[in-house]
Amino acid sequence: MADKIRPVRGMNDVLPDETPAWQHLEKEARRVLEGYGYAEVRFPHLERLELFARSIGEDTDIVEKEMYTFEDTGGDTLALRPEGTAGCVRAGITAGLFRGQTHRLYYIGPMFRHERPQKGRYRQFHQVGVEAFGAETADMDVEQILMARRLLSDLGVGGLNLQLNSLGKPEDRRAYRAVLIDFLEARQDQLCDTCRQRIPRNPMRVLDCKVEGCQAVVRDAPAISDHLGEVSQAHFDRVRNLLDAAGVPYEHNPRLVRGLDYYTDTVFEWTSDQLGAQATVVAGGRYDGLVTEIGGPSTPAVGFALGIERLLALMDDERIPGKAPDAFLAPLGTGVEASALALAENLRDRGLRVWYNCGGGSLKSQLKKADRSGAPVSLVIGEQEMADGTVLIRDLVTGDQQSVARGEAAEIVRTRIG
Ligand code: ATP
Ligand code: MG
């Protein structure tokens, strides 16, 4: 035998016993998001590297070390998308969408980051992303938080917490940054190596470090919420008031930041205590400056991304619909295949889901497969049924069987499945 070719580390196959959960999640996501007026967009998994460098930020972990980047044979430097917002905005600009109207968009698909693989963290992972363009008011932020909550609750996920913060405008952040750098520099020796390097380049990312020593330090760090300008303060208050009015509890977490530079004002996360270290299922916020950053017209925007793998770990499996067929068709003996295939097609013409057992086999082994399929009935065509134009219908729950004319089979199966 030839050597096995290993899969790429951190990139998983989704096998048939797992796909029903994925499909259920995707279907529910489409139903809920479209119910709020979101329309699906699809854009390439590959973009110019420059798009991500400019939007996510040169000094972020993602751009510094997590991207899959390569030069194609034409000499263009491309990268596999590490997140969806940049590509979505680029697509909107390319299509000339941003002319003052509101657009609510969503996408579902893979993202790629060269991170250390562990539970809840992969190199190819999947997101449901939503982006709303053209609304600067706080009701859009809150509508998205409510929409994420509805999707999570419709999928049977409980025990979630909402964390909220405001990052202010870029000018608020510049002032805060200086204060934060002073604070962190005075405590350099208590920080991890990575965070020490982050201080001059991306000090806010230190607030998000998962290393315990760093977390202890930042507990007393100055908070961005104490450095908000008037407009940002008013926006944040409005978001909080609307959440209160909607009866959504949240925690104001002054250390909540995002690993991408483009966020302004509101940031939020839905987290679960059942996920261990990788606790965030939904992360998002407002990014009013990004569309201009990528060369489009000034357009306020807010969005979030939901990590599909993390959500699957929390989903209530009881709600995943089964895939069982309406009938299982067993050809028994030789020379019966043509009639059996014809009956299967005839039943399918009438809208029934029929699994036909290619290759036949003994009655016992075929009935075992029929049971495993979850079908309520098995149809058997043997030599006798061949000869007299009938089919044997066996109820797989009660064991009752009856021989009927083939033309009546569809009606009987239909009655049985109700
Ligand atoms: P984290 O702090 O967990 O690294 P992040 O801030 O990098 O998250 P975002 O870029 O905001 O995450 O992505 C949104 C969501 O996508 C996350 O909350 C998470 O559910 C999921 N996600 C991000 N990176 C990964 C990954 N490598 N593997 C699996 N899911 C991921
Ligand atoms: Mg990350």
Side-chain angles (χ1 to χ4, degrees):
M1 251 195 299
D3 287 344
K4 271 193 205 141
I5 296 177
R6 284 179 298 113
V8 180
R9 191 162 124 83
M11 304 203 177
N12 301 309
D13 304 308
V14 182
L15 297 172
D17 62 334
E18 301 163 315
T19 46
W22 284 73
Q23 291 174 346
H24 177 60
L25 186 157
E26 288 161 9
K27 190 167 165 212
E28 287 293 278
R30 290 175 199 287
R31 181 182 63 76
V32 171
L33 303 182
E34 288 171 11
Y36 280 77
Y38 281 77
E40 185 177 5
V41 280
R42 302 186 184 196
F43 43 88
H45 297 183
L46 269 178
E47 297 275 356
R48 290 174 196 287
L49 170 65
E50 189 194 353
L51 171 68
F52 302 116
R54 222 201 282 173
S55 57
I56 298 169
E58 298 274 6
D59 291 334
T60 58
D61 289 351
I62 295 178
V63 171
E64 266 183 3
K65 53 181 196 230
E66 294 177 358
M67 280 207 293
Y68 285 89
T69 306
F70 67 97
E71 195 175 303
D72 74 3
T73 47
D76 287 328
T77 304
L78 307 179
L80 278 168
R81 62 184 193 189
E83 57 100 51
T85 304
C88 184
V89 170
R90 201 273 311 134
I93 294 172
T94 306
L97 289 189
F98 306 130
R99 296 208 180 92
Q101 318 89 316
T102 308
H103 289 283
R104 288 179 170 86
L105 306 176
Y106 81 88
Y107 46 86
I108 303 178
M111 307 295 162
F112 304 85
R113 296 184 196 173
H114 196 275
E115 301 196 71
R116 189 171 68 78
Q118 53 195 291
K119 188 165 180 290
R121 198 174 286 288
Y122 311 100
R123 289 181 175 175
Q124 176 176 326
F125 63 98
H126 299 76
Q127 289 184 335
V128 175
V130 316
E131 318 288 352
F133 299 98
E136 60 180 359
T137 47
D139 47 0
M140 190 60 97
D141 313 33
V142 172
E143 187 188 68
Q144 281 195 356
I145 291 172
L146 294 172
M147 183 168 77
R149 181 179 72 159
R150 181 176 301 279
L151 174 56
L152 294 164
S153 115
D154 285 2
L155 289 167
V157 180
L160 290 166
N161 300 305
L162 175 62
Q163 310 239 353
L164 188 72
N165 197 17
S166 171
L167 300 181
K169 307 287 180 206
E171 54 274 20
D172 305 336
R173 268 210 313 264
R174 267 194 288 281
Y176 169 68
R177 206 182 130 101
V179 179
L180 182 62
I181 288 180
D182 284 347
F183 174 90
L184 293 172
E185 274 178 346
R187 292 160 186 79
Q188 286 220 29
D189 47 333
Q190 298 164 55
L191 297 174
C192 72
D193 287 348
T194 318
C195 280
R196 259 197 301 276
Q197 286 164 23
R198 279 170 175 154
I199 296 175
R201 311 186 59 180
N202 195 355
M204 285 179 72
R205 192 65 178 156
V206 179
L207 301 177
D208 195 32
C209 182
K210 272 118 192 156
V211 175
E212 214 163 289
C214 301
Q215 288 191 356
V217 169
V218 303
R219 253 192 286 280
D220 304 317
I224 176 74
S225 32
D226 296 332
H227 291 82
L228 297 181
E230 225 171 285
V231 177
S232 287
Q233 188 63 56
H235 186 88
F236 194 36
D237 290 344
R238 188 83 190 120
V239 169
R240 298 174 69 159
N241 289 339
L242 287 173
L243 285 173
D244 290 338
V248 182
Y250 62 87
E251 183 196 337
H252 172 205
N253 175 356
R255 282 172 298 281
L256 183 68
V257 295
R258 307 238 39 82
L260 305 90
D261 279 354
Y262 53 63
Y263 286 102
T264 52
D265 287 318
T266 319
V267 289
F268 62 90
E269 288 191 2
W270 283 100
T271 60
S272 163
D273 46 22
Q274 291 165 42
L275 284 174
Q278 269 55 252
T280 305
V281 193
V282 169
R286 183 166 275 283
Y287 53 93
D288 290 345
L290 182 62
V291 180
T292 44
E293 193 83 19
I294 307 182
S298 174
T299 307
V302 46
F304 68 74
L306 175 158
I308 293 185
E309 284 84 353
R310 293 187 196 174
L311 178 53
L312 285 169
L314 297 171
M315 224 166 77
D316 177 5
D317 291 348
E318 299 282 307
R319 301 191 188 195
I320 302 168
K323 298 263 178 198
D326 300 324
F328 186 95
L329 206 160
L332 190 64
T334 47
V336 302
E337 293 92 339
S339 304
L341 281 169
L343 175 61
E345 285 304 309
N346 177 280
L347 297 174
R348 291 171 187 139
D349 287 345
R350 293 157 192 241
L352 292 168
R353 293 156 43 83
V354 180
W355 290 3
Y356 170 80
N357 189 35
C358 290
S362 73
L363 183 62
K364 195 167 158 215
S365 77
Q366 297 206 67
L367 288 179
K368 211 183 251 170
K369 282 188 195 166
D371 265 330
R372 267 204 305 266
S373 78
V377 293
S378 176
L379 310 184
V380 182
I381 295 193
E383 279 153 35
Q384 184 63 48
E385 288 77 19
M386 251 302 272
D388 51 22
T390 57
V391 53
L392 184 77
I393 302 190
R394 183 185 169 98
D395 188 312
L396 291 167
V397 178
T398 63
D400 292 346
Q401 33 184 60
Q402 52 178 321
S403 199
V404 302
R406 275 177 223 161
E408 291 168 28
E411 232 4 81
I412 294 174
V413 174
R414 221 173 251 307
T415 321
R416 180 61 182 77
I417 61 176

